Amino acid sequence: MNTTTVFFRRCENYNNASEMLKKLLMEYSDRFSPGEEVLVKPNMLSPRRVEEAVTTHPMILKTVLEFLLNLRVKPVVGDSPASGTAKSVAQKAGLLEVCEDLRVHLVELDEPIDANGEVYSKIKISKTALTMKVVNVAKLKTHSQMVMTLGVKNTFGCVVGKEKSAWHLRAGTNERFADLLIDVHLLVSPVITVMDGIEGMEGNGPANGIKRFFGLLAVSENAFALDYAIVEALGIDPGVVYTVARSMDRGLVPKFEMDGSWRGTIRLPSTTPVVPVPNPLRNLVRRFVRVPKINTRRCVTCKICENNCPAKAINVDRVSIDYQKCIRCYVCHEVCPEDAIMLVRKLF
Ligand code: SF4
Ligand code: SF4
């Protein structure tokens, strides 16, 4: 295949997914050589059950691993989750069982190397992700900060540990954070991206939104094209999805052809601007955006939010969030295991 292709297949359930996905993956069999090590990077955001649709479904991971093993490739599965460890997430999400059954190693993406991207330098990316070929296995979900989390954003898990939340502070704005996500994706440069869009999430994703059936299985060698195609098929203005908007601005969405069709709908996060916000108005709009607030009825005082807040704005013991420090990155909402962070309107 010389032209970039985005494959869309309508898939009603995970039982039908394996056969369908294997056929699509065969299109890319010449990209791999026997004996080489390949990192398979699922969405392993946090320790959630498969039924919650936060993480890549075990059936999708199993199919990708079997495809690689049949080619006599040596796959390893890895991620650096936003909360928990690769092992704790994999265990809860049913992914560890798949790895054990197929005798595939599960690794924590650590051992950082300072990598220089087009916009940012010294991005601490896992050595494994930079030195192995990567198969990116993403999940179709909304994202309170970035509007959607698709193929490009999935490789952010190759940035090691707490560096991920620190970048929210360094980047400062959603547009600049999208540039970082794009830099990381270009550095990791996956051979293919698979989208598990059979079940995903709408509303205030990526962890505490509403589970939703979409019925999409998608594959492409180019995640910029894949993400653009999905956003378009969902009827969303590409300009409001930060990674898609910035990748278009940076000339990274190639001309591509579609193989197969699918259309869907999605309820975007309550934090999403209705239309793309022009540059001069961005500071004004940020004064009206939603802010996190601790729901004391749900909170179990685990302090995961406090420990992950890049701005050090949360004090769980005092049930307080310092809105002068808060940069509205919604990491606290993303990592809270109890859905105890509400996103409420506040005018500054
Ligand atoms: S808000 Fe959530 S993450 Fe924060 S302490 Fe409470 S339960 Fe834990
Ligand atoms: S309080 Fe929440 S939204 Fe605000 S900076 Fe901290 S993690 Fe981000």
Side-chain angles (χ1 to χ4, degrees), residues 44 50 58-59 61-62 65 77 86-104 106:
M44 290 169 56
V50 60
M59 186 61 89
L61 178 66
K62 182 170 183 272
L65 292 177
V77 173
K87 190 167 181 189
S88 69
V89 175
Q91 199 155 24
K92 188 122 186 192
L95 301 170
L96 187 60
E97 204 180 324
V98 171
C99 294
E100 286 175 350
D101 285 352
L102 296 174
R103 296 186 182 174
V104 169
L106 175 79

Side-chain angles (χ1 to χ4, degrees), residues 208 293-296 298-308 314-317 321 331-333 335-342:
N208 292 310
K293 186 176 178 195
I294 298 173
N295 180 339
T296 49
R298 282 178 172 261
C299 179
V300 295
T301 65
C302 66
K303 298 195 179 178
I304 291 175
C305 57
E306 187 175 309
N307 294 333
N308 281 280
I314 306 178
N315 188 319
V316 171
D317 291 336
I321 296 177
V331 165
C332 49
H333 179 261
V335 297
C336 175
E338 303 294 330
D339 194 9
I341 296 282
M342 303 178 288

Side-chain angles (χ1 to χ4, degrees), residues 46-328:
S46 52
R48 297 298 189 97
R49 291 173 295 112
V50 60
E51 298 78 20
E52 295 178 88
V54 171
T55 45
T56 300
H57 195 282
M59 186 61 89
I60 300 296
L61 178 66
K62 182 170 183 272
T63 307
V64 171
L65 292 177
E66 284 175 346
F67 159 73
L68 294 170
L69 289 166
N70 282 338
L71 295 174
R72 289 184 288 131
V73 167
K74 294 179 182 165
V76 297
V77 173
D79 202 351
S80 173
S83 67
T85 60
K87 190 167 181 189
S88 69
V89 175
Q91 199 155 24
K92 188 122 186 192
L95 301 170
L96 187 60
E97 204 180 324
V98 171
C99 294
E100 286 175 350
D101 285 352
L102 296 174
R103 296 186 182 174
V104 169
H105 286 300
L106 175 79
V107 297
E108 188 79 36
L109 292 184
D110 46 19
E111 278 195 85
I113 293 180
D114 281 345
N116 295 330
E118 286 182 1
V119 177
Y120 292 98
S121 52
K122 294 190 175 172
I123 311 169
K124 294 194 183 306
I125 298 180
S126 151
K127 184 180 169 189
T128 307
L130 288 176
T131 53
M132 284 186 194
K133 264 185 196 166
V134 175
V135 174
N136 184 27
V137 191
K139 186 92 175 159
L140 197 169
K141 295 185 293 180
T142 46
H143 193 280
S144 294
Q145 184 195 12
M146 302 311 290
V147 182
M148 297 287 298
T149 172
L150 299 167
V152 171
K153 189 175 180 311
N154 195 50
T155 43
F156 188 48
C158 300
V159 174
V160 299
K162 287 274 166 65
E163 274 296 302
K164 285 188 288 301
S165 63
W167 270 108
H168 287 274
L169 200 59
R170 283 178 209 143
T173 66
N174 292 345
E175 292 76 12
R176 287 178 53 78
F177 189 65
D179 272 332
L180 171 77
L181 299 177
I182 291 168
D183 269 7
V184 172
H185 188 80
L186 289 170
L187 287 163
V188 172
S189 186
V191 184
I192 40 176
T193 293
V194 174
M195 180 60 65
D196 170 9
I198 300 173
E199 288 176 347
M201 189 168 283
E202 65 178 2
N204 289 336
N208 292 310
I210 303 156
K211 180 181 167 180
R212 166 84 191 276
F213 171 78
F214 296 108
L216 173 68
L217 197 53
V219 182
S220 181
E221 71 270 37
N222 188 303
F224 297 107
L226 179 78
D227 289 1
Y228 180 92
I230 291 174
V231 163
E232 201 177 43
L234 284 166
I236 305 169
D237 182 338
V240 303
V241 180
Y242 293 98
T243 48
V244 176
R246 286 301 301 142
S247 57
M248 287 162 69
D249 291 347
R250 287 169 65 171
L252 292 166
V253 181
K255 282 204 168 90
F256 62 91
E257 59 184 38
M258 293 298 307
D259 183 312
S261 64
W262 169 88
R263 293 205 82 75
T265 58
I266 193 165
R267 180 139 55 106
L268 294 179
S270 57
T271 47
T272 311
V274 184
V275 289
V277 181
N279 266 331
L281 295 179
R282 279 182 186 154
N283 281 342
L284 182 69
V285 168
R286 279 172 74 78
R287 294 180 59 208
F288 292 90
V289 295
R290 290 179 185 247
V291 295
K293 186 176 178 195
I294 298 173
N295 180 339
T296 49
R297 278 179 300 176
R298 282 178 172 261
C299 179
V300 295
T301 65
C302 66
K303 298 195 179 178
I304 291 175
C305 57
E306 187 175 309
N307 294 333
N308 281 280
C309 171
K312 306 271 174 266
I314 306 178
N315 188 319
V316 171
D317 291 336
R318 290 191 200 145
V319 199
S320 79
I321 296 177
D322 182 339
Y323 296 123
Q324 296 308 314
K325 288 185 181 172
C326 173
I327 56 168
R328 267 81 83 192

